[in-house]
Amino acid sequence: MSSSQMSRREAGIPAATKAGTVRRRSAWAVAASAALLAATLAGCGGDSSEPSAGSPGEFSGRGPITLATGKDTTGTIQDQLDRWNSEHPDEKVTLVELPESADQQRQQFIQNAQTESDAYTVLNLDPIWVAEFAANQWIDALPAKEFPLDKMLPAVVKTGEYFGKQYAIPFNTNAGLLFYRKDLLDKTGVQPPTTWDEMKDACADVAELPEGRGVDCYAGQFDKYEGLTVNFSEAVASAGGTVVDAEGNATVDTEEAKKGLQFLADGFKDGTFPKESSTYQEEDGRRAFQAGKLLFHRQWPYQWALADTEDGSSKVAGKFGVAPLPGLDGPGKSSLGGLDLAVSKFAKNKATALDFIKFFSSEANARTNLKVTSAAPPYAGLYDDPALRRQFPYLATLKASLSSAVPRPVVVQYGDATAAIQEGAAAALSGSKSVDAALADMQRDLSAAIAEKK
């Protein structure tokens, strides 16, 4: 997601054309054994004191509930809720859509919790928010043994843990990928790049082609929001650095972090990144890539299904491929994104909420979600399924990306931490501060955020 998210987003997923929506709803009907959700990306952190734990016995009460999640711009969530609602007429789920922006989602989730409102029952959270919400006792510990967590990727399951208890169940996961115009690289005889320098060289080669005119080199998520934290963290990790070390200390004023941020800042200076991408979130870049305006795009997996649609909304359908993110000296590292499902401590009808999460996070639903939206499933076995690999050739690449993905820094005051990262990175990218000055200020502010509740 940040995100992810993505994210998506962890990142958001785009509004479909009318024809595209009809086609996806038809696909849903064909796949009707389960349901799906679009990914959105974001991030947050935890607390240093262990909250009181929930227990299975606390999940009582049956009746209507709500699902609070980022804006569903695909129109697919309601299809899934309709299926649940038809089978549970006395325990219907109402969709509560929050904004596309991950930062705004987090703000509304927190406002709802701080007022102890029961308006939100099941929360669809970016994984990096789970620790903060658990620490503040805004969500309940869940009965982990009632979920097939042993079938999920261990690192993804861990995103829902806090102090050894499971507070959230993975709905999907996310890792950043490099989408590239395969047709244009093939014309130059160039392979997908594994380093930043190789990527720039590939862009120069494609620019010499008649078909390369008007095609910009690369874009990520560079607007001043959680996506910038994700992209900055990936650049640092891909240069061999860390944002926060294993002991919880800020580590951005280092040579490795400087190389990562310098790559991003230089991208805007030398034209590797189009100027307009300084305000790109997930959907802005997705639209640019589908319009044929980008050679390379850092994006979450959800872009595959949308960019490959043949309803006329994508000019690059059948013309692109997916590779791992490039890095300084070899393949880079993605930030870990996704969405986790939790139950609000202030909600009613928690027994219904628990059963709904089992339905919503099932392997059958994850499979359908992958088929319809190309979202990354948390279930390990799906990545090796021969039929799915034939349908989604990028699954092996995604699995490899997930295996080396790095979580965003888990910081007690994550809101302050991500704000410090965004402020420093944005200043360097805009040129209002040098990379050295931006990292020095980021180190100071990030350290202050970490120390606030130590």
Side-chain angles (χ1 to χ4, degrees), residues 34 218 308 422-423 440:
Y218 174 91
D308 205 39
Q422 293 170 35
E423 189 70 30

Side-chain angles (χ1 to χ4, degrees), residues 47-90:
D47 199 343
S48 57
S49 59
E50 181 176 2
S52 59
S55 67
E58 294 179 358
F59 290 90
S60 60
R62 292 194 172 276
I65 62 172
T66 60
L67 168 67
T69 186
K71 184 174 177 60
D72 175 32
T73 51
T74 63
T76 56
I77 295 180
Q78 191 59 55
D79 287 319
Q80 184 169 0
L81 300 192
D82 288 345
R83 179 171 176 258
W84 166 274
N85 290 342
S86 69
E87 297 175 0
H88 304 82
D90 297 325

Side-chain angles (χ1 to χ4, degrees), residues 292-311:
K293 296 180 180 179
L294 292 172
L295 180 60
F296 298 107
H297 185 214
R298 181 267 172 225
Q299 183 60 290
W300 306 106
Y302 84 89
Q303 181 167 276
W304 177 280
L306 294 160
D308 205 39
T309 185
E310 295 181 355
D311 62 1

Side-chain angles (χ1 to χ4, degrees), residues 61-67 84-85 88-94 118 121 347-350 352-353:
R62 292 194 172 276
I65 62 172
T66 60
L67 168 67
W84 166 274
N85 290 342
H88 304 82
D90 297 325
E91 300 175 89
K92 291 186 175 181
V93 181
T94 299
D118 63 2
T121 309
K348 298 176 182 177
N349 300 324
K350 293 183 181 180
T352 296

Side-chain angles (χ1 to χ4, degrees), residues 148-202:
L149 300 181
D150 59 326
K151 294 184 177 181
M152 297 184 182
L153 296 164
V156 178
V157 173
K158 194 170 182 62
T159 65
E161 294 179 4
Y162 184 66
F163 273 95
K165 296 180 175 63
Q166 199 75 32
Y167 280 85
I169 304 300
F171 174 70
N172 58 30
T173 187
N174 243 343
L177 298 170
L178 184 71
F179 284 75
Y180 65 91
R181 287 287 300 277
K182 186 177 185 302
D183 59 329
L184 296 180
L185 290 192
D186 285 349
K187 283 184 177 292
T188 63
V190 173
Q191 295 297 311
T194 59
T195 69
W196 294 331
D197 284 343
E198 288 176 4
M199 184 178 72
K200 291 183 178 183
D201 289 343

Side-chain angles (χ1 to χ4, degrees), residues 6 32 56 60-61 66 79 207 224 251 257 278 288 337 341 359 375 416 441 444:
M6 231 239 152
S60 60
T66 60
D79 287 319
K224 193 177 177 182
T251 52
S278 64
L341 297 162
F359 160 82
D416 292 340
D441 290 347
R444 179 197 64 214

Side-chain angles (χ1 to χ4, degrees), residues 332-356:
K333 292 185 177 182
S334 167
S335 293
L336 187 64
L339 289 167
D340 287 354
L341 297 162
V343 176
S344 168
K345 184 169 287 290
F346 314 107
K348 298 176 182 177
N349 300 324
K350 293 183 181 180
T352 296
L354 194 65
D355 285 348
F356 173 73

